Amino acid sequence: MIATAHCQHCSGLFEYDGMSRTEFCPHCGKESAVGKSAPAPAPAAALAVAKRLVPCPDCGQTKSTRALWCPGCGSLGISLFRFILNIWGTICLVSIFLYVFGWIILKIISLISWQ
């Protein structure tokens, strides 16, 4: 009896002879359990989301690694120094962008007025 199984490592689909044991995946070459005892592979999207979620050190609720504060308790996820440094860096980048953009506009205006 021919059966199909998902690889536990790459989630690739492959065929095997239907007996419960381990087989080598033809896609990634790693050994994977097949048969009735084989666990279902986790979807790649769920794994990607799980990597970006961490527990809050204050309340334990899960929050994103990119979140500035916890949605459960409202505690700041980063130190105050790092928060101020992020704001300062953003202000510097915006001001540099505006300076360069203004310089380009002035050059265009001076080229137009030369003619």
Side-chain angles (χ1 to χ4, degrees):
M1 172 176 103
I2 301 287
T4 58
H6 287 280
C7 176
Q8 295 171 332
H9 305 284
C10 70
S11 298
L13 190 63
F14 63 94
E15 294 181 347
Y16 69 103
D17 62 1
M19 299 185 67
S20 296
R21 62 172 186 263
T22 58
E23 290 280 333
F24 287 98
C25 173
H27 306 289
C28 65
K30 295 181 180 176
E31 196 170 13
S32 183
V34 294
K36 295 185 187 224
S37 63
L47 289 174
V49 169
K51 288 180 182 177
R52 290 191 309 250
L53 296 177
V54 294
C56 173
D58 293 332
C59 68
Q61 182 179 353
T62 57
K63 66 177 188 121
S64 172
T65 55
R66 298 183 209 163
L68 290 178
W69 56 83
C70 175
C73 64
S75 69
L76 201 58
I78 57 176
S79 68
L80 186 59
F81 176 74
R82 186 171 173 198
F83 183 69
I84 292 171
L85 190 64
N86 285 346
I87 291 174
W88 180 253
T90 303
I91 290 171
C92 289
L93 285 176
V94 168
S95 62
I96 290 170
F97 173 76
L98 291 176
Y99 176 78
V100 170
F101 187 70
W103 182 79
I104 291 172
I105 295 296
L106 287 175
K107 286 294 182 181
I108 292 172
I109 291 172
S110 67
L111 287 175
I112 291 173
S113 65
W114 253 79
Q115 296 172 355

